[in-house]
Amino acid sequence: RRTTAGLLTFDPQAQIDSALQGRNSRAIEDEILRIEGRRPGLGGIFVDSTGALFVYLRSLGDTTTLRSELIDVLSSRAEPMQLTAELQQGMPIRVAQGSYSFSELVAAANQVSGLVNMPRSVVSVDADEAANRVTIGVTNQDAVEAVSEYFASRGVDRRMLRLAVVGTPRLLASVRDYF
């Protein structure tokens, strides 16, 4: 699905294609996109608080091959991941239905990050694999509704967003600390 909002293109397939062509600048997000290239509709993957691998899928159809698909994709990396070994040793996998594919979340996060005149109260934007949403970090609770309205007025699907109060960033060091 390729749509536009303002001047920004929302193209989830382009995110998968870039990751499959070797892009690594998004780190673990590119790994998730490569897995989605193999398992369309993958909406996120992370190790939950119980130590199980939690996987969001848009369609909960046949998941019998999920473990082998994950092992296959992850073991093709130049640097093997600990996760691969844990999956091979029987790590539990929990599956839930997600509303969005991960490529849609990354494309939406890019779309949101590229908007001009963004409110100053927005301090972070993340394709959040653990929430199956784009998480927008804002400075305080008073900013939540205004920021939500801002993105909605620019064509961003509000249902895809999760606004979280993260506070105001502060510098932990500066150049003056060294000179």
Side-chain angles (χ1 to χ4, degrees), residues 96-119:
Q97 186 155 16
S99 300
Y100 304 98
S101 68
F102 193 66
S103 58
E104 289 174 314
L105 297 175
V106 172
N110 285 348
Q111 180 186 32
V112 165
S113 296
L115 292 172
V116 294
N117 301 320
M118 195 177 311

Side-chain angles (χ1 to χ4, degrees), residues 2-179:
R2 184 181 172 100
T3 58
T4 59
L7 300 175
L8 299 171
T9 301
F10 176 77
D11 189 358
Q13 187 59 49
Q15 297 302 320
I16 294 172
D17 293 344
S18 292
L20 289 172
Q21 292 168 7
R23 178 185 69 193
N24 288 309
S25 60
R26 298 190 75 92
I28 193 66
E29 290 183 350
D30 280 325
E31 294 298 334
I32 296 170
L33 289 164
R34 281 189 269 283
I35 296 168
E36 185 185 346
R38 184 79 177 268
R39 173 64 93 148
L42 180 89
I45 181 172
F46 63 98
V47 177
D48 70 13
S49 62
T50 69
L53 187 66
F54 192 97
V55 180
Y56 280 111
L57 297 173
R58 292 218 35 197
S59 172
L60 295 179
D62 183 16
T63 60
T64 57
T65 60
L66 182 60
R67 179 180 303 277
S68 61
E69 289 171 355
L70 292 170
I71 290 170
D72 188 44
V73 172
L74 294 172
S75 61
S76 68
R77 293 174 36 101
E79 300 170 24
M81 296 178 74
Q82 177 65 31
L83 179 59
T84 308
E86 291 176 20
L87 283 167
Q88 289 169 330
Q89 295 167 8
M91 174 187 220
I93 298 176
R94 294 181 42 215
V95 178
Q97 186 155 16
S99 300
Y100 304 98
S101 68
F102 193 66
S103 58
E104 289 174 314
L105 297 175
V106 172
N110 285 348
Q111 180 186 32
V112 165
S113 296
L115 292 172
V116 294
N117 301 320
M118 195 177 311
R120 290 180 190 250
S121 56
V122 173
V123 294
S124 64
V125 176
D126 178 45
D128 190 342
E129 65 274 7
N132 194 240
R133 295 287 186 271
V134 175
T135 298
I136 310 289
V138 296
T139 54
N140 59 60
Q141 188 61 43
D142 294 339
V144 170
E145 187 58 34
V147 168
S148 179
E149 288 294 326
Y150 168 83
F151 289 122
S153 72
R154 282 151 180 84
V156 178
D157 181 356
R158 241 194 252 208
R159 296 168 298 181
M160 189 177 266
L161 303 179
R162 177 181 159 265
L163 276 75
V165 176
V166 297
T168 303
R170 59 186 180 92
L171 290 176
L172 298 177
S174 75
V175 174
R176 290 185 181 171
D177 294 338
Y178 299 98
F179 296 100

